[in-house]
């Protein structure tokens, strides 16, 4: 049994609902007719023709405020709909933004914004209320949000442009591109532009499909020197051609770029400069400043100097594009002391500004140069001198001359000198003639470079220098030398074998060919000279053996063929060797050399001299040690007696200072030093006792004054000598008898001071005798 195919209807109130109903009916009829024509079809026909009417879209305006009762804007209808079924929505915004009631009415529950989302995709289905099973397959549809004019045009920030002042009318200055968030396919998103000022120089197109406005130049009368910047206000409005619509206003900055449209002129008609005559080439004399209203990058003045003077002076541009007057050649006050000439300035401009017209423009200036006289140093007639001289020549030592003059009007005399003491050349101080002081050797130094000084022969005269190059020419003064002086002959060599080739070398520059000959005939070898400065040595016979004690040498005479011809005799040693194939050496006999070389002899002599010096030093040291022992043996008593700068250990110190020696002086009538040489004079000891210590010291002092080698410690520290103005610092010259101090109290101090009391005190015998 055929069932009618279901038909979804999504209608909008009014006209759109009627249209959708008709379309659905037509679709159902077409499905029924197709089913009747097709045999053996299933009970439900799902096949449908594609509909031409796009019934799957619903439309709703943005920014619609929801009301208490949601506004219906569409309806779902299905032929399978009954009271036991209901509609279900799913997809974007379903059941939140969009809802459907039990009758299929679709409502919007929130305010929509097309600029945030313009299309919502949803699906509608019909299910059984009780079982929840679908009664028809799900259909998809979209809800399109319709635009309203709720956005104004927006300009990008910081709009600016530029154009050259020389641009023609109609040139595009810049473009502006305002944007509108509304639908660009409607008037809501279309934009038209309008200039609010500056219309005398600029204009802008009203409307374009891409919403871009072009600002163009309406006149070719821009002048950056008068106004370099324009601020233009622009209005952008949507709904072109309508009185209503949203608008926005902004300002753009138009910068006028400079062009070279102004000619350069001199700031004054005459320039005067002073230049010293010793100024060097390219010296900057002064600045010829010009006036040019253009910016620095567009200034391009050209300076022209009057003919004839352009060979002396030159003009270049500085960073400010002014002219810098400079020297091409040095000036000479004695030749000319003033220069006066004219300079023209011109410039090629891209356009003729009205300011460039007129005959009052200062395009020519007069320049005066005053040359200032200065005391100049001598000037050589050449900055560099080049001379040549043959080596070894000394009979005619003159190699050339230098010449310098004083350029000043005074014309002082010039004297010449060479400051380098090692220079092989001397100069005549008056004439400037150069001569060699010694023979030159090209092989040692082929080029001598030195300076010749020229100074004015007046007090504080100025000086200058000139460089001189002396090239030493070659003469054939060196004999040739052999280059391969050692050869070998193999035991297996036979007659005619070439055992080696010798060559020659010559320190001279001459490229003469060398000739080789044997200075002495040889019974074993022959010499064959070639034409390429080499010679080969051949064997006359074979049979050489390393067992033989003979030594083989060849004396070869070499001539260089120069003028004069030089020759030398060179010794070639030939060793006898045992060789492998190809004359490769395996073993060579070494010849013992007789005699002693000079280096070995010198080493032997040095060793002998060193040994002799060591022996002499040992002998002198031993002799000195013996003399010291003798001196010490005779001077022991004196050192213990008169050592003044050492502090003893007191009365009980009898080891270092034995005072008993003094007591022995009272018993001995004389004192004899030991036998043997002594540095001290023999001193006769006077009779001494405890009370005569002062007399003994006086005798010692007298001997010290008259002895050529006095007692060291006693003479220096104890007594200054008879001629000394200073008094004695020693206490030894005072005795118990001659001193004003009384030392008798020492007897009362006990046995420890008994010895000291005997030296300085008065004993009982003396007291008795005095009584």
């Amino acid at each position: 049994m055929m069932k009618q195919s279901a038909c979804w209807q999504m209608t909008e109130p009014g006209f759109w609902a009627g249209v959708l109903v008709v379309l659905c009916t037509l679709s159902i009829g077409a499905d029924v007719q197709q089913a009747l024509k097709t045999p053996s079809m299933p009970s439900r026909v799902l096949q449908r023709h594609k509909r031409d009417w796009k019934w799957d879209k619903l439309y709703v305006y943005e920014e619609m405020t929801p009301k208490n009762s949601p506004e219906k804007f569409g309806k779902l209808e299905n032929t399978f709909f009954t009271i036991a079924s209901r509609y279900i929505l799913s997809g974007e915004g379903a059941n939140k933004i969009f809802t459907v009631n039990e009758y299929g009415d679709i409502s919007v529950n929130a305010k929509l914004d097309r600029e945030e989302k313009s299309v919502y995709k949803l699906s509608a289905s019909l299910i059984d209320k009780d079982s929840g099973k679908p009664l028809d397959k799900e259909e998809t549809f979209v809800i399109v949000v319709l635009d309203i004019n709720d956005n104004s045009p927006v300009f990008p920030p910081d709009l600016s442009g530029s154009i050259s002042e020389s641009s023609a009318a109609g040139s595009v200055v810049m473009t502006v591109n305002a944007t509108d968030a509304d639908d660009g396919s409607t008037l809501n998103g279309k934009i038209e532009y309008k200039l609010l000022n500056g219309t005398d120089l600029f204009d802008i197109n009203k409307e374009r499909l891409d919403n871009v406005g072009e600002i163009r130049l309406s006149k070719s009368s821009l002048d950056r020197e008068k106004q370099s910047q324009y601020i233009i206000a622009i209005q952008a409005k949507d709904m072109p051609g309508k009185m209503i619509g949203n608008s926005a206003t902004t300002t753009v900055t138009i910068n006028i770029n400079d062009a070279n449209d102004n000619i350069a002129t001199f700031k004054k008609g005459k320039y005067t400069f002073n230049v010293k005559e010793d100024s060097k080439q390219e010296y900057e004399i002064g600045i010829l400043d010009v006036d040019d209203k253009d910016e620095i990058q567009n200034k391009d003045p050209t300076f022209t100097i009057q003919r004839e003077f352009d060979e002396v002076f030159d003009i270049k541009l500085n960073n400010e594009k002014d002219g810098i007057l400079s020297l091409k050649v040095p000036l000479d006050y004695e030749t000319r002391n003033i220069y006066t000439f004219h300079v023209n300035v011109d410039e090629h401009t891209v356009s003729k500004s009205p300011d460039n017209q007129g005959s009052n423009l200062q395009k020519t200036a007069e320049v005066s140069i005053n040359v200032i006289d200065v005391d100049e140093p001598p000037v050589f007639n050449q900055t560099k001198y080049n001379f040549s001289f043959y080596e070894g020549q000394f009979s005619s030592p003159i190699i050339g001359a230098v010449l310098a003059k004083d350029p000043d009007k005074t014309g002082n005399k010039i004297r010449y000198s060479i400051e380098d003491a090692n220079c092989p050349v001397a100069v005549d101080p008056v004439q400037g003639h150069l001569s060699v002081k010694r023979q030159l050797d090209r092989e040692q130094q082929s080029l001598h470079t030195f300076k010749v000084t020229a100074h004015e022969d007046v007090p504080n005269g100025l000086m200058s220098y000139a460089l001189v190059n002396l090239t030493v020419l070659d003469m054939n003064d060196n004999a040739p030398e052999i280059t391969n002086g050692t050869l070998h002959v193999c035991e297996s060599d036979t007659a005619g074998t070439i055992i080696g080739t010798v060559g020659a070398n010559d320190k001279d520059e001459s490229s003469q060919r060398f000739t080789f000959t044997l200075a002495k005939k040889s019974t074993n070898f022959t010499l064959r000279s070639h034409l390429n400065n080499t010679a080969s040595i051949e064997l006359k016979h074979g049979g050489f053996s390393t067992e033989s004690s003979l030594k083989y040498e060849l004396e070869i005479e070499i001539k260089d063929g120069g003028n004069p011809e030089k020759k030398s005799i060179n010794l070639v040693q030939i060793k006898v060797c045992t060789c492998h194939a190809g004359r490769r050496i395996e073993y060579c006999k070494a010849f013992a050399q007789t005699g002693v070389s000079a280096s070995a002899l010198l080493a032997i002599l040095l060793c002998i001299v060193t040994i002799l010096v060591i022996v002499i030093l040992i002998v002198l040291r031993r002799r000195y040690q013996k003399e010291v022992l003798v001196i010490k043996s005779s001077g022991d008593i004196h050192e213990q007696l008169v050592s003044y700068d050492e502090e003893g250990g007191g009365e009980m110190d009898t080891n270092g200072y034995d005072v008993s020696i003094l007591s022995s002086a009272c018993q001995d009538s004389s004192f004899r030093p030991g036998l043997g040489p002594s540095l001290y004079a023999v001193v006769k000891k006077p009779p001494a006792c405890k009370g005569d210590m002062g007399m003994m010291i006086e005798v010692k002092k007298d001997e010290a004054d008259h002895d050529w080698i006095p007692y060291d410690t006693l003479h220096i520290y104890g007594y200054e000598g008879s001629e000394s103005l200073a008094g004695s610092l020693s206490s030894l010259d005072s005795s118990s008898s001659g001193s004003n101090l009384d030392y008798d109290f020492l007897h009362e101090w006990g046995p420890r001071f008994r010895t000291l009391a005997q030296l300085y005190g008065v004993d009982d015998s003396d007291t008795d005798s005095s009584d």
Side-chain angles (χ1 to χ4, degrees), residues 624-677:
Y624 173 75
Q625 289 177 347
K626 289 180 179 181
E627 292 178 354
V628 171
L629 292 175
V630 173
I631 293 172
K632 286 187 176 182
S633 63
S634 63
D636 289 340
I637 297 176
H638 304 296
E639 289 178 357
Q640 293 185 17
L641 176 65
V642 298
S643 181
Y644 189 76
D645 58 344
E646 296 183 9
E647 183 177 357
E651 292 182 359
M652 302 305 294
D653 185 8
T654 59
N655 294 325
Y657 298 90
D658 191 0
V659 186
S660 62
I661 298 177
L662 296 176
S663 301
S664 65
C666 297
Q667 300 175 1
D668 296 336
S669 59
S670 62
F671 176 77
R672 293 179 182 271
L675 297 177

Side-chain angles (χ1 to χ4, degrees), residues 477-713:
D477 57 346
N478 290 278
E481 299 175 354
I482 198 167
T483 57
N484 187 12
T486 302
L487 301 175
H488 72 279
V489 58
C490 296
E491 292 178 322
S492 58
D493 289 342
T494 58
T497 302
I498 298 177
I499 64 172
T501 302
V502 295
N505 185 24
D506 196 334
K507 296 179 181 179
D508 296 320
E509 289 182 344
S510 60
S511 59
Q512 301 293 332
R513 292 183 177 178
F514 299 105
T515 57
F516 302 84
T517 57
L518 289 177
K520 293 181 179 180
K521 292 184 179 180
S522 175
T523 58
N524 299 311
F525 309 97
T526 59
L527 180 69
R528 186 184 302 277
S529 180
H530 304 295
L531 300 178
N532 57 354
N533 294 333
T534 61
S536 59
I537 299 176
E538 298 181 4
L539 292 180
K540 288 185 176 180
H541 59 83
F544 291 90
S545 175
T546 56
E547 302 297 331
S548 174
S549 61
L550 296 177
K551 184 177 181 180
Y552 301 98
E553 292 181 345
L554 283 180
E555 292 185 359
I556 300 177
E557 182 181 75
I558 306 175
K559 297 180 181 180
D560 60 8
N563 186 18
E565 187 178 62
K566 294 290 183 179
K567 63 181 179 179
S568 64
I569 296 177
N570 300 267
L571 186 65
V572 177
Q573 295 182 353
I574 301 176
K575 299 182 294 183
V576 179
C577 303
T578 300
C579 302
H580 295 292
R583 302 190 78 251
R584 291 183 292 110
I585 297 176
E586 177 183 0
Y587 163 75
C588 293
K589 179 179 178 59
F591 295 100
Q593 295 183 353
T594 60
V596 181
S597 63
S599 59
L601 182 61
L602 180 61
I604 294 172
L605 291 177
L606 288 176
C607 292
I608 295 174
V609 171
T610 303
I611 294 172
L612 289 176
V613 171
I614 293 174
V615 171
I616 293 172
L617 290 176
I618 293 174
V619 172
L620 291 177
R621 179 173 177 80
R622 290 183 177 180
R623 182 178 179 182
Y624 173 75
Q625 289 177 347
K626 289 180 179 181
E627 292 178 354
V628 171
L629 292 175
V630 173
I631 293 172
K632 286 187 176 182
S633 63
S634 63
D636 289 340
I637 297 176
H638 304 296
E639 289 178 357
Q640 293 185 17
L641 176 65
V642 298
S643 181
Y644 189 76
D645 58 344
E646 296 183 9
E647 183 177 357
E651 292 182 359
M652 302 305 294
D653 185 8
T654 59
N655 294 325
Y657 298 90
D658 191 0
V659 186
S660 62
I661 298 177
L662 296 176
S663 301
S664 65
C666 297
Q667 300 175 1
D668 296 336
S669 59
S670 62
F671 176 77
R672 293 179 182 271
L675 297 177
S678 175
L679 294 176
Y680 295 99
V682 178
V683 180
K684 294 181 178 180
K685 301 297 179 181
C689 60
K690 297 180 181 178
D692 295 331
M693 180 61 68
M695 182 182 296
M696 182 185 70
I697 294 176
E698 291 294 335
V699 173
K700 296 290 185 181
K701 289 163 55 179
D702 184 72
E703 291 177 354
D705 289 335
H706 296 88
D707 190 5
W708 68 279
I709 304 180
Y711 296 108
D712 294 339
T713 55

Side-chain angles (χ1 to χ4, degrees), residues 2 9 55 264 283 337 360 421 469 476 547 716 722 725:
M2 297 291 295
Q9 294 184 9
W55 54 273
Y283 169 75
N337 58 9
N360 57 347
N469 293 323
N476 193 25
E547 302 297 331
I716 294 173
S722 60
L725 298 178

Side-chain angles (χ1 to χ4, degrees), residues 386-387 441-442 444-449 468-472:
N386 295 309
F387 300 106
D441 189 352
R442 187 200 64 83
Q444 293 182 357
Q445 187 173 351
S446 61
L447 178 65
H448 297 270
T449 301
V468 179
N469 293 323
L470 175 59
T471 302
V472 182

Side-chain angles (χ1 to χ4, degrees), residues 276-284 327-330 377:
K276 293 182 179 181
E277 63 172 333
D278 60 348
S279 298
K280 303 299 182 182
Q281 187 177 356
E282 296 185 357
Y283 169 75
E284 295 182 0
L327 285 177
K328 276 188 175 180
V329 294

